Amino acid sequence: MGRGMMLAGALAAGLVPAALHAQAGPSKAQLANAAFVLRVMSSALQSDEVEQPVKNKLFECLYSNSVSQISGAVDKVVAANPGKVDRKDASQMLAVIAGACGYRPAAAPQAAPKK
């Protein structure tokens, strides 16, 4: 039994590097988008202009997800809304990133209807 485990381990070790090389890495565009997402999130976390609930959600999102997962979710939102989001506008991207991370602003209280 010990020999079988060693043989299986040796075979698996031989396959791991091949499997890693078979996976295609991210494209330059994906890396650039992910870098921008990370910059926007980092700036938002340090900004005095961003509300604490947004910062909390961004931090939780970064803690629980990889940058590639967050960037991929943001890419899906942008692709689903062509022409509505300017990727170069950090404030628009922050809104998309926060939404992709699960932030939902509290609903404003509605005024009572006039009688």
Side-chain angles (χ1 to χ4, degrees):
M1 173 130 157
R3 272 176 127 175
M5 293 297 284
M6 288 186 353
L7 180 60
L11 289 174
L15 294 176
V16 170
L20 291 176
H21 291 295
Q23 296 176 351
S27 69
K28 287 184 179 184
Q30 288 171 317
L31 288 174
N33 289 342
F36 186 65
V37 165
L38 186 57
R39 267 194 312 273
V40 169
M41 292 179 83
S42 178
S43 294
L45 289 170
Q46 296 174 18
S47 175
D48 292 334
E49 297 176 15
V50 176
E51 296 175 358
Q52 194 60 44
V54 176
K55 289 181 180 184
N56 292 344
K57 188 54 82 173
L58 292 176
F59 185 79
E60 289 172 14
C61 192
L62 274 173
Y63 185 80
S64 301
N65 302 284
S66 69
V67 174
S68 66
Q69 290 172 316
I70 298 167
S71 181
V74 168
D75 289 345
K76 287 179 184 177
V77 171
V78 172
N81 296 285
K84 294 182 180 179
V85 179
D86 180 4
R87 279 192 178 272
K88 295 179 183 177
D89 185 335
S91 62
Q92 285 184 20
M93 288 301 291
L94 176 58
V96 172
I97 294 165
C101 285
Y103 176 75
R104 302 293 179 261
Q110 295 185 8
K114 294 181 180 180
K115 292 183 179 181

